[in-house]
């Protein structure tokens, strides 16, 4: 009986140690700039070079609490729905729609 108790305690200790090691091995959280950089895909050069677009990208990602996949999806949707507009227009449209919907 005591052997089973000791064995159980050792297993619990090992599991706890593994969790602690994994916790400390975690990569540091991404900065807003790194998250914005992930948004870059098949977009125009102004997304990368225009400071206004960078600011709008950071604002959008902040509004979405870092959910880059949602930001991409919303921008792609607006590009399909309203083709031919500037990159800045799409960012402002998505941000404006989010602000409106959150009221």
């Amino acid at each position: 009986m005591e052997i089973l108790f000791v064995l159980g305690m050792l297993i619990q200790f090992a599991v706890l140690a593994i969790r602690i090691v994994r916790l400390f091995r975690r990569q540091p959280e991404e900065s807003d700039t790194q998250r914005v950089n992930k948004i870059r895909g098949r977009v125009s050069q102004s997304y990368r070079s225009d400071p206004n677009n960078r600011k709008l990208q950071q604002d959008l990602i902040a509004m979405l609490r870092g959910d880059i996949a949602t930001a991409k999806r919303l921008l792609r949707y607006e590009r399909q729905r309203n083709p031919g507009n500037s990159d800045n227009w799409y960012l402002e449209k998505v941000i404006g729609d989010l602000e409106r919907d959150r009221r």
Side-chain angles (χ1 to χ4, degrees), residues 13-94:
F13 177 75
V15 169
L16 181 62
I18 290 170
R19 287 183 179 171
I20 290 172
V21 168
R22 285 183 181 167
L23 179 67
F24 286 107
R25 278 191 183 172
R26 271 177 130 165
Q27 297 294 328
E29 287 194 27
E30 294 177 324
S31 68
D32 287 340
T33 304
Q34 290 170 326
R35 288 184 187 127
V36 169
N37 288 339
K38 282 187 174 181
I39 251 183
R40 295 179 183 163
R42 291 185 286 179
V43 296
S44 70
Q45 185 62 29
S46 67
Y47 261 67
R48 296 182 188 100
S49 60
D50 185 1
N52 290 334
N53 281 341
R54 281 188 175 159
K55 174 70 172 119
L56 290 171
Q57 287 174 10
Q58 290 172 349
D59 292 347
L60 175 59
I61 290 173
M63 288 179 76
L64 296 172
R65 296 187 176 128
D67 190 350
I68 293 170
T70 299
K72 286 181 178 181
R73 181 179 53 78
L74 292 171
L75 289 167
R76 189 176 324 119
Y77 173 76
E78 286 302 330
R79 279 192 205 98
Q80 290 171 350
R81 199 165 166 238
N82 301 294
N85 290 301
S86 69
D87 297 332
N88 195 23
W89 186 90
Y90 292 118
L91 286 163
E92 289 176 347
K93 172 80 167 115
V94 169

